[in-house]
């Protein structure tokens, strides 16, 4: 059988519902013990159940455990002995409760402990107590002392059974048909196991008492007979009363005991004893109990078997009747003749021989029986030794697993100790770090002052850098002028060389022309040839020198151009280095200022997360003024950032704005934290989250200041949104009742009542919409739970609407009867405290309806908690009760409208109870469908999960205690703040206006 299936069956059989344990779940648990040959899985599941905190759960556990002890595997008893002390402690704990299932659980646990001790002490008795007469004789080991002690233990065992039987009947109202109700069947179901046990114990007690009376004097057993008579009377009455219950008629046939108890002083009465037979119909029997008819195999013994039994009994206890002490025939002498004496002597000899022959037969039969008995005993011992060997092997394997688990636990413990040491060391380090925080804060303030001084120094350095830049620009200008002059000179020289070259080219052309003329005249003048040749050579030489001069001029021009370019590069690098130096200095100064600002904000956040360091509570108006200052600072910071982007040299205004923003942000967070101390939990949590979000957005905004970019890259919209949210919460936290004029109270009452009616109508419409969505999208158990919860919420809203109408009618009657010649507004103004009570109650009703609808919406969506819906329902009931109290303070006690208002109030209470009941029922249904699956987990993992669950239980109990203390303080603080908000007088007690008005009216 799958372990997970058995786990599910155990959880289904043992639950908190007050119904009888289903037979199929108990049958699965019994089969599981036979499959795993023990009850390890059963106890691993049961140990996680809160048996000490839920009486119904403990009662059903006792029922299932009783069935396992009777019909489960024999090793169930062995696996359960380790929990015997825990059962005793639990029995004593439940014994302190005098109502409900407390006493029942205590007595049932005591019975189970007695049963475990009895079967441990008498291992021959099986869990279902079914034994034959031979097995019963063997249980006493042929010793009258053992039979005596065994009878006493059976009396104790039967006494516990009868005690539970009687207590269950006393807890039921027998004037009703309790056996057909689920609650009655839950209490009656375990009595089936008790009836089965009692029938066997009664039968064995009768047989043992007859056996003892045949061996011991009657006076010695007088106490046994008295105790048997008492138990016989009780058992007969309980069997008779049980057989008349409708619940047992279809499950079990209960036997009836004889009219008169057995007469133990008459040995023949044993043959008149009829063993009580308990019959379980086939459809109601468990699959583990093989016979439907639970009785011993009783059959008539023939004469030889009866003689054999008598002989064996005589051998064990000795024959008390071997010789008749009251036979006086031999003592009364009768005178006979010799022949008669001879006949008598022959008869005596024949009788003696017959007796010897009978004794020899008896001895042989006895020897055969003893040998057969010895063989049976040896076979039983062999089987028992095999069983013990297998059991020892199982124990060895279990102990080996436990040893491995203990080793792992020891390793885990060592790791936990090392981690604990590390945690303690870190805690000490954190304490030291915390002690240095204040010193660091003062150091940060000092560093900020140093940064301001460094700012001044950097400003001076910037002025020096600017002067150096001016000198550099002047040198640059001089270099440009010199370069211009060199360029002009090079251009002039180039132009001159070009002109000379042109002239040389013209002269060359003229020379060529002349050469042509000369060549033309050579023909006519041969004499002048040499002259002209020398002239041509001279001209060619001059032409070469001019070409060389022109090449030198071009080289000089190239060198001058390279020198000019190097001068330009040098000037540019010098200028860039100066700009980069100034820019880095500005960035460094800005980064240091930003880090200091972030440190200030982080310190404020730590104060927000540690409200115990704040010694006084703040006010909402102070917070609002700080928020306005922060908004102005953000505008100034954006303006300075724009100026810085336009002129990076001017950074002083930006640094001042960053520092101012950091301090104002710190003030905002601190004032927000102090304001939360005087606010309700919901707005206090909202204000805390808003302050945290604002600080986060501020840090992001400051981080953007280090990046290069334009104004568009830095957006303060998120910061402004957070500030707006903080301002809105602060506006809500301002006292409202102090600024209302008395002439406006009348109009405000009508407005608040109308707003409350509108809120109820809106809530009703939302519930109808949620119900339609649930019907369209959900099915099965979830749809059923949602329809039940939303239906009860709708009924509650309708009841509140009736209450509001009745309250309006009663208020109108009060105003009409008490205002006289004054107007309604004057009446409200005259009774301002009563009027403020009405306004406060109306607000509370409308707010409660809205919150309850939100909680119901989350529950239907599967994202909410059922407990929140129940708390909201109770809150609405309290608010309506406040409205009723405020309305009926000035009302006439005989007013019909007052009667209608009280009836409407009762209707609201009933509707609230219906919401709570439907929520609890729905939660139970949802939890039944969500069963945990541990099929894939090992034993070690399950044990680790068990330890984690125990740790979680302790943590949750600690958190519950702390939350209860916190709830008390919150209610106290809410009471005080409500007095301030509603304008209660400082000289009187802090009581609601409606209640103070009621006291005044009584006086």
């Amino acid at each position: 059988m799958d372990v997970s299936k058995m786990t599910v069956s155990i959880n289904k059989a043992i639950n908190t519902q007050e119904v009888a344990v289903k037979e199929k779940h108990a049958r699965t648990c019994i089969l599981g013990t036979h499959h795993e040959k023990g009850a390890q899985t059963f106890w691993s599941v049961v140990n996680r159940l809160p048996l000490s905190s839920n009486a119904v759960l403990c009662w059903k556990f006792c029922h299932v455990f009783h069935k396992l002890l009777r019909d489960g595997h024999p090793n169930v008893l062995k696996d359960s002995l380790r929990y015997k002390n825990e059962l005793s402690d639990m029995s004593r704990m439940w014994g302190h409760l005098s109502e409900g299932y407390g006493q029942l659980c205590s007595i049932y646990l005591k019975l189970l402990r007695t049963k475990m001790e009895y079967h441990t002490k008498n291992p021959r008795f099986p869990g279902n107590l079914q034994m034959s007469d031979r097995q019963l004789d063997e249980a006493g080991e042929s010793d009258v002392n053992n039979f005596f002690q065994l009878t006493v233990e059976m009396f104790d065992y039967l006494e516990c059974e009868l005690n539970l039987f009687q207590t269950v009947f006393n807890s039921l109202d027998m004037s009703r048909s309790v056996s057909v109700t689920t609650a009655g069947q839950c209490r009656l179901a375990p009595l089936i196991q008790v009836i089965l046990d009692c029938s066997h114990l009664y039968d064995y007690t009768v047989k043992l008492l007859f056996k003892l009376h045949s061996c011991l004097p009657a006076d010695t057993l007088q106490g046994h007979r008295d105790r048997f008579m008492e138990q016989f009377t009780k058992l007969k009455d309980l069997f008779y009363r049980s057989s008349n219950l409708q619940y047992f008629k279809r499950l079990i046939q209960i036997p009836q005991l004889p009219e008169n108890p057995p007469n133990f002083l008459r040995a023949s009465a044993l043959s008149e004893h009829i063993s009580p037979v308990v019959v379980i119909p086939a459809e109601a029997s468990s699959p583990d109990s093989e016979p439907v008819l639970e009785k011993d195999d009783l059959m008539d013994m023939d004469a030889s078997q009866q003689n054999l039994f008598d002989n064996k009994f005589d051998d064990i206890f000795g024959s008390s009747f071997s010789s008749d002490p009251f036979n006086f025939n031999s003592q009364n002498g009768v005178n006979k003749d010799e022949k008669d004496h001879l006949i008598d002597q022959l008869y005596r000899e024949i009788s003696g021989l017959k007796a010897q022959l009978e004794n020899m037969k008896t001895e042989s039969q006895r020897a055969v029986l003893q040998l057969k008995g010895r063989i049976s005993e040896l076979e039983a011992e062999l089987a028992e030794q095999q069983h013990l060997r297998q059991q020892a092997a199982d124990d060895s394997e279990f102990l080996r697993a436990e040893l491995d688990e203990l080793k792992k636990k020891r390793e885990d413990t060592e790791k936990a100790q090392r981690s604990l040491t590390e945690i303690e060391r870190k805690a000490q380090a954190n304490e030291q770090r915390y002690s240095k925080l204040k010193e660091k804060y003062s150091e940060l303030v000092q560093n900020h002052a140093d940064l301001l001084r460094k700012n001044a120094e950097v400003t001076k350095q910037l002025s020096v850098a600017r002067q150096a830049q001016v000198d550099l620009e002047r040198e640059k200008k001089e270099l440009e002028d010199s370069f211009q002059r060199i360029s002009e000179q090079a251009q002039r020289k180039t132009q001159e060389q070009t002109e000379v070259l042109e002239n040389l080219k013209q002269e060359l052309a003229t020379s060529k022309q002349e050469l042509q003329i000369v060549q033309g005249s050579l023909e006519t003048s041969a004499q002048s040839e040499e002259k002209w040749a020398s002239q041509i050579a001279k001209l060619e030489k001059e032409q070469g020198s001019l070409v060389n001069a022109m090449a030198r001029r071009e080289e000089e021009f190239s060198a001058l151009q390279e020198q000019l370019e190097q001068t330009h590069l040098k000037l540019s690098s010098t200028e860039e280095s100066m700009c980069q130096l100034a820019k880095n200095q500005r960035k460094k100064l800005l980064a240091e200022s930003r880090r200091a600002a972030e440190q200030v904000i982080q310190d404020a956040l730590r104060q927000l997360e540690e409200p115990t360091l704040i010694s006084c509570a703040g006010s909402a108006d102070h917070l609002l003024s700080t928020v306005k200052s922060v908004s102005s600072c953000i505008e100034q910071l954006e303006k300075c950032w724009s100026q810085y982007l336009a002129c990076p040299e001017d950074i002083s205004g930006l640094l001042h704005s960053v520092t101012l923003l950091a301090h104002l942000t710190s003030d905002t967070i601190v004032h927000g934290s102090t304001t939360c101390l005087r606010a309700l939990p919901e707005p206090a949590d909202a204000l805390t989250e808003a302050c945290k979000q604002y600080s986060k957005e501020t840090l992001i905004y400051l981080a953007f200041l280090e990046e290069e970019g334009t104004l568009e890259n830095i957006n303060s919209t998120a910061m402004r949104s957070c500030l707006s949210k903080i301002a809105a919460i602060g506006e809500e936290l301002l006292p409202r009742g102090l600024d209302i004029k008395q002439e406006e109270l009348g109009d405000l009452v009508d407005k608040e009542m109308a707003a409350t009616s509108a809120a109820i109508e809106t809530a009703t419409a939302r519930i109808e919409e949620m119900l339609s969505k649930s019907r369209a999208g959900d099915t099965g158990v979830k749809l059923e739970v949602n329809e039940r919860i939303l239906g009860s919420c709708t009924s509650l809203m309708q009841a509140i609407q009736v209450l509001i109408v009745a309250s309006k009618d009663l208020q109108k009657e009060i105003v009409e009867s008490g205002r006289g010649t004054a107007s309604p507004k004057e009446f409200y103004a005259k009774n301002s405290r009563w009027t403020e009570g009405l306004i406060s109650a109306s607000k509370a009703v409308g707010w409660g309806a809205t919150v309850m609808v939100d909680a119901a919406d989350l529950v239907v969506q599967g994202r909410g908690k059922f407990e929140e819906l129940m708390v909201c329902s109770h809150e609405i009931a309290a608010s309506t009760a406040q409205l009723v109290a405020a309305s009926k303070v000035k009302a006439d006690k005989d007013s019909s409208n007052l009667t209608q208002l009280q009836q409407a109030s009762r209707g609201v209470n009933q509707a609230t109870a219906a919401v709570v009941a439907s929520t609890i029922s729905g939660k139970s249904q949802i939890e039944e469908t969500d069963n945990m699956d541990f099929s894939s987990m090992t034993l070690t993992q399950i044990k680790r999960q068990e330890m984690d669950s125990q740790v979680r239980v302790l943590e949750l109990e600690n958190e519950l205690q702390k939350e209860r203390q916190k709830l008390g303080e919150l209610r106290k603080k809410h009471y005080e703040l409500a007095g301030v908000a509603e304008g209660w007088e400082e000289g009187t007690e802090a009581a609601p206006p409606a209640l103070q008005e009621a006291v005044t009216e009584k006086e």
Side-chain angles (χ1 to χ4, degrees), residues 619-622 624 729-737 981:
S619 59
D621 52 356
H622 197 179
L624 290 175
I729 298 174
E731 292 288 345
E732 293 178 357
L733 294 177
L734 288 175
R736 301 298 184 187

Side-chain angles (χ1 to χ4, degrees), residues 94-303:
W94 285 117
H96 296 297
L97 298 180
S98 59
E99 297 179 359
Y101 283 86
Q103 286 294 327
L104 295 178
C105 292
S106 177
I107 295 173
Y108 207 167
L109 289 168
K110 188 181 297 183
L111 167 61
L112 294 175
R113 179 183 173 90
T114 303
K115 184 176 180 67
M116 293 168 64
E117 291 175 350
Y118 179 84
H119 289 284
T120 303
K121 195 172 183 180
N122 303 285
R124 294 179 182 269
F125 283 80
N128 56 9
L129 296 173
Q130 294 185 16
M131 296 180 68
S132 64
D133 292 341
R134 183 178 62 82
Q135 292 173 334
L136 183 62
D137 292 335
E138 291 175 355
E141 296 179 351
S142 303
D143 189 351
V144 67
N145 295 321
N146 292 341
F147 285 111
F148 188 94
Q149 181 62 29
L150 186 61
T151 306
V152 173
E153 293 173 359
M154 282 190 178
F155 278 140
D156 296 337
Y157 193 175
L158 186 58
E159 185 68 29
C160 293
E161 301 275 2
L162 294 175
N163 192 11
L164 176 62
F165 216 146
Q166 187 66 44
T167 306
V168 172
F169 274 95
N170 293 338
S171 67
L172 297 174
D173 186 4
M174 304 306 293
S175 62
R176 301 180 180 178
S177 299
V178 292
S179 64
V180 298
T181 63
T182 57
Q185 292 177 1
C186 183
R187 299 192 183 195
L188 292 173
L191 295 185
I192 295 177
Q193 311 301 315
V194 176
I195 292 171
L196 293 172
D197 288 344
C198 289
S199 64
H200 292 299
L201 291 174
Y202 169 79
D203 185 28
Y204 301 153
T205 303
V206 171
K207 294 177 179 178
L208 290 177
L209 283 175
F210 273 107
K211 189 180 295 292
L212 289 174
H213 277 80
S214 66
C215 304
L216 297 175
D219 295 337
T220 305
L221 300 173
Q222 182 63 44
H224 280 51
R225 290 197 299 274
D226 295 339
R227 193 170 183 184
F228 174 82
M229 289 296 298
E230 179 183 0
Q231 293 184 354
F232 174 82
T233 305
K234 290 182 180 179
L235 186 59
K236 179 181 178 182
D237 178 67
L238 292 174
F239 273 9
Y240 176 77
R241 294 172 64 185
S242 301
S243 62
N244 294 328
L245 292 177
Q246 185 66 30
Y247 177 71
F248 290 119
K249 289 182 179 180
R250 65 182 181 85
L251 296 177
I252 189 172
Q253 294 181 11
I254 303 175
Q256 298 299 321
L257 299 183
E259 186 66 22
N260 297 317
N263 186 5
F264 299 106
L265 301 178
R266 185 168 58 88
S268 60
L270 178 61
S271 61
E272 301 173 1
H273 169 68
I274 299 176
S275 299
V277 176
V278 180
V279 179
I280 299 178
E283 63 272 13
S285 64
S286 65
D288 306 297
S289 56
E290 295 177 359
V292 175
L293 181 64
E294 288 201 353
K295 64 175 183 178
D296 297 324
D297 297 333
L298 299 175
M299 61 181 91
D300 296 335
M301 301 171 62
D302 56 10

Side-chain angles (χ1 to χ4, degrees), residues 10-11 14-15 44-53 57 61:
I10 294 172
N11 287 321
I14 307 174
N15 54 47
S44 66
V45 176
V46 167
N47 286 333
R48 295 192 292 269
L49 299 177
L51 301 180
S52 300
S53 60
L57 196 71
F61 155 75

